[in-house]
Amino acid sequence: MDENRISSGIQGIDEMLYGGIISGHIIGVVGPAGSGKTLISLQFLHSCLKQGKKCLYISANHNEKELIKNSRIYGWDFEPFINNKLLDLNSLEPVLTSKFLDELPIIVSKIKTDIVIVDPVTDFLLLCQDEIESRSRLFNLFKIIKEYRATALITAESDVDSSSTKSGIIEYAVDGLFINRRIQSADMNEIMHVIQIAKMRWTKHIREIRQYDFTDKGIEVYSKYNVLLGDTSETKRK
Ligand SMILES: Nc1ncnc2c1ncn2[C@@H]1O[C@H](COP(=O)(O)OP(=O)(O)OP(=O)(O)O)[C@@H](O)[C@H]1O
Ligand SMILES: [Mg+2]
């Protein structure tokens, strides 16, 4: 892989990016509840750790024990990386009050890492009084990440019926944006998950909507999708 690129840990996404995530980029992953934001972030985390990168993972809705235990289901064991100090796993779940607003940038600025992951940043923005505060707090957080030249993945919730976040700020602030959506198959029998790279500054990327699935090894993004026929068998990677 190009030394300026970092694998997302998901082969189908790396393909859509003609390589991987550009080092130093802040990537937003936007999607409704249950669309795989946490899994994408954990899969990226595990892949970065395997590449020897120092990582900071901040969860706003799962505690550390829960994350470590459930990640094992997919074959991702984070404990050795915590023990050898390659991974700093933080849960901000107990401080989901206005303290969160100050706590998040403090943690990011104290722990200098190659990779910063925040899942999700939604509450951080919801706790702000107004749009001006959300913008300034988010831009300040991103400024800290950029100062350290870290590469970041930030998830955010979108409404089920829309592909954008409530505030819409994340979409503008990030360098790259993955949008996860749920759609119904033509025969109405199946709900399918699709992903699109809506933007990726400074590089070309595939704009097609691609289907993905949840597997016992995490997220798998297929090379094409065929929703209109309601038949994905021909298009799946395997
Ligand atoms: N092994 C598996 N096999 C099939 N589906 C799975 C598997 N593991 C997870 N899922 C699916 O993944 C969904 C959860 O994904 P994840 O927690 O990453 O979503 P999320 O976007 O972070 O959700 P939230 O907004 O609630 O935090 C589950 O609802 C389930 O549909
Ligand atoms: Mg989640």
Side-chain angles (χ1 to χ4, degrees), residues 33-39 41 57 61-62 119-120 155 157:
S35 64
K37 299 180 296 297
T38 298
L39 285 179
S41 68
Y57 187 95
N61 55 11
H62 300 285
D119 174 55
T155 73
E157 292 161 14

Side-chain angles (χ1 to χ4, degrees), residues 79-95:
E79 225 157 21
F81 298 109
I82 295 173
N83 294 340
N84 71 13
K85 308 248 186 288
L86 213 52
L87 169 61
D88 203 304
L89 195 65
N90 279 263
S91 172
L92 286 180
E93 190 207 16
V95 285

Side-chain angles (χ1 to χ4, degrees), residues 17-221:
L17 291 169
Y18 297 112
I21 291 168
I22 295 184
S23 182
H25 263 184
I26 297 177
I27 306 295
V29 178
V30 169
S35 64
K37 299 180 296 297
T38 298
L39 285 179
I40 290 173
S41 68
L42 291 170
Q43 201 159 341
F44 176 55
L45 173 67
H46 191 255
S47 159
C48 290
L49 290 165
K50 277 197 314 188
Q51 294 168 65
K53 305 214 177 287
K54 205 162 184 290
C55 301
L56 168 64
Y57 187 95
I58 300 169
S59 173
N61 55 11
H62 300 285
N63 66 48
E64 288 98 344
K65 273 196 183 145
E66 190 187 343
L67 279 172
I68 293 169
K69 181 169 162 259
N70 291 328
S71 295
R72 289 203 180 107
I73 296 170
Y74 306 95
W76 310 320
D77 187 1
F78 292 117
E79 225 157 21
F81 298 109
I82 295 173
N83 294 340
N84 71 13
K85 308 248 186 288
L86 213 52
L87 169 61
D88 203 304
L89 195 65
N90 279 263
S91 172
L92 286 180
E93 190 207 16
V95 285
L96 273 193
T97 59
S98 52
K99 245 178 89 185
F100 183 29
L101 292 175
D102 298 323
E103 203 89 358
L104 181 58
I106 289 174
I107 294 178
V108 174
S109 59
K110 267 206 310 216
I111 307 165
K112 294 183 190 171
T113 51
D114 305 314
I115 308 291
V116 176
I117 300 170
V118 184
D119 174 55
V121 81
T122 311
D123 297 308
F124 180 75
L125 297 175
L126 289 179
L127 286 164
C128 295
Q129 299 293 320
D130 52 32
E131 200 185 315
I132 296 176
E133 188 186 355
S134 329
R135 272 181 188 271
S136 79
R137 289 211 183 245
L138 191 70
F139 280 100
N140 178 51
L141 179 69
F142 285 8
K143 197 172 139 233
I144 297 168
I145 293 171
K146 293 270 178 188
E147 270 167 15
Y148 295 158
R149 297 172 199 277
T151 305
L153 190 143
I154 313 281
T155 73
E157 292 161 14
S158 63
D159 291 333
V160 178
D161 302 328
S162 127
S163 53
S164 49
T165 58
K166 283 189 179 68
S167 69
I169 300 169
I170 291 273
E171 288 89 330
Y172 290 98
V174 291
D175 298 306
L177 183 65
F178 301 164
I179 295 180
N180 297 351
R181 276 183 298 142
R182 265 197 292 262
I183 53 175
Q184 202 150 15
S185 63
D187 60 8
M188 304 294 225
N189 274 339
E190 224 185 321
I191 292 293
M192 294 171 175
H193 293 272
V194 292
I195 187 163
Q196 187 176 20
I197 298 179
K199 87 180 207 190
M200 196 57 58
R201 287 176 180 150
W202 318 118
T203 186
K204 64 174 184 170
H205 58 89
I206 289 175
R207 288 173 195 280
E208 269 174 25
I209 293 169
R210 297 207 164 172
Q211 194 183 339
Y212 65 93
D213 247 332
F214 300 92
T215 76
D216 53 9
K217 291 193 184 81
I219 301 277
E220 186 174 357
V221 175

